[in-house]
Amino acid sequence: MNGLFGPYIEKWMHFVTIKNMLLLAIGSLIITDLGLSILMLLFPKSPFFKTLIWEVISPVELEVVSIIGYVLGIAVFILVTSGILYGIFKIFKGQVTYKQLVADLLLNTCIAGWIHLIFVLFAAPIYLLLNLQIRGGAGGLSTIELINVFIMAQLMSKQFSLSPWITGISFYIVSFIFGVGGIILSMSL
């Protein structure tokens, strides 16, 4: 797979900086939240908007407390996850920098937002057409998010001179643990 995507990743890798990815993350958040809100208006009766998946990926509410909480949550996730991945990649003798990991995880938040928007673009009308009343589970979304893991594994393996297996598995496990923790925390508030 490195041979298939390697040249494309190397061509765009120099754009993955903290400044560029921060700007992209802000723009991406605005676009994806706007897109999700428009989908809610287009398919208001879709049972999808009553599912657990929707509760997790729904747009940020336009209230100061919600926005501050969201931004702080993402910042903590990125900083802590970057630190853990930095330690793991150093153990495996990767040529890793903390700043580059922060930039990569900012890119990851953008890719995750785009995946969520595309998922809802298909799920909302399908739930409406088939009148699905599924309350729990995130099977479809988790499968699609494996694409995100694959992309990040390829990018980080090229940047840090490590095996995509090491970067992919490490990224998946650390993101999963913090993602589940974040979901539990947000649902308990």
Side-chain angles (χ1 to χ4, degrees):
M1 286 297 181
N2 249 351
L4 183 64
F5 293 104
Y8 301 104
I9 289 172
E10 286 175 9
K11 183 177 179 181
W12 297 101
M13 215 164 42
H14 66 280
F15 290 113
V16 183
T17 63
I18 290 179
K19 179 184 171 188
N20 290 345
M21 293 305 102
L22 190 55
L23 292 172
L24 183 64
I26 292 167
S28 178
L29 175 65
I30 292 167
I31 291 168
T32 54
D33 274 17
L34 184 62
L36 291 171
S37 298
I38 290 170
L39 287 170
M40 281 180 63
L41 293 173
L42 290 174
F43 305 103
K45 296 184 179 184
S46 176
F48 177 76
F49 300 119
K50 295 181 176 116
T51 63
L52 177 63
I53 301 170
W54 178 251
E55 289 177 29
V56 172
I57 66 174
S58 62
V60 180
E61 294 176 22
L62 294 176
E63 298 172 351
V64 175
V65 174
S66 298
I67 293 171
I68 291 172
Y70 178 80
V71 170
L72 287 176
I74 292 292
V76 168
F77 169 77
I78 288 172
L79 294 174
V80 173
T81 303
S82 297
I84 294 170
L85 288 174
Y86 179 81
I88 293 170
F89 294 165
K90 276 294 187 186
I91 290 169
F92 286 100
K93 309 286 190 250
Q95 300 168 355
V96 59
T97 66
Y98 183 76
K99 283 174 64 173
Q100 193 59 54
L101 271 169
V102 170
D104 288 351
L105 289 175
L106 282 167
L107 174 62
N108 170 60
T109 62
C110 299
I111 294 171
W114 303 333
I115 288 171
H116 294 167
L117 180 60
I118 293 167
F119 180 77
V120 176
L121 182 64
F122 290 103
I126 289 172
Y127 271 64
L128 183 62
L129 291 172
L130 299 177
N131 196 26
L132 296 174
Q133 301 294 329
I134 300 168
R135 178 78 185 131
L141 183 61
S142 337
T143 305
I144 293 171
E145 285 187 338
L146 287 177
I147 295 167
N148 185 9
V149 172
F150 178 76
I151 292 168
M152 295 308 295
Q154 294 297 316
L155 174 69
M156 290 188 290
S157 73
K158 282 284 185 195
Q159 287 175 326
F160 308 132
S161 302
L162 288 167
S163 160
W165 287 102
I166 293 170
T167 57
I169 291 169
S170 303
F171 173 73
Y172 178 77
I173 291 171
V174 172
S175 296
F176 178 78
I177 291 168
F178 280 94
V180 169
I183 291 168
I184 291 169
L185 183 63
S186 69
M187 296 185 94
S188 65
L189 296 176

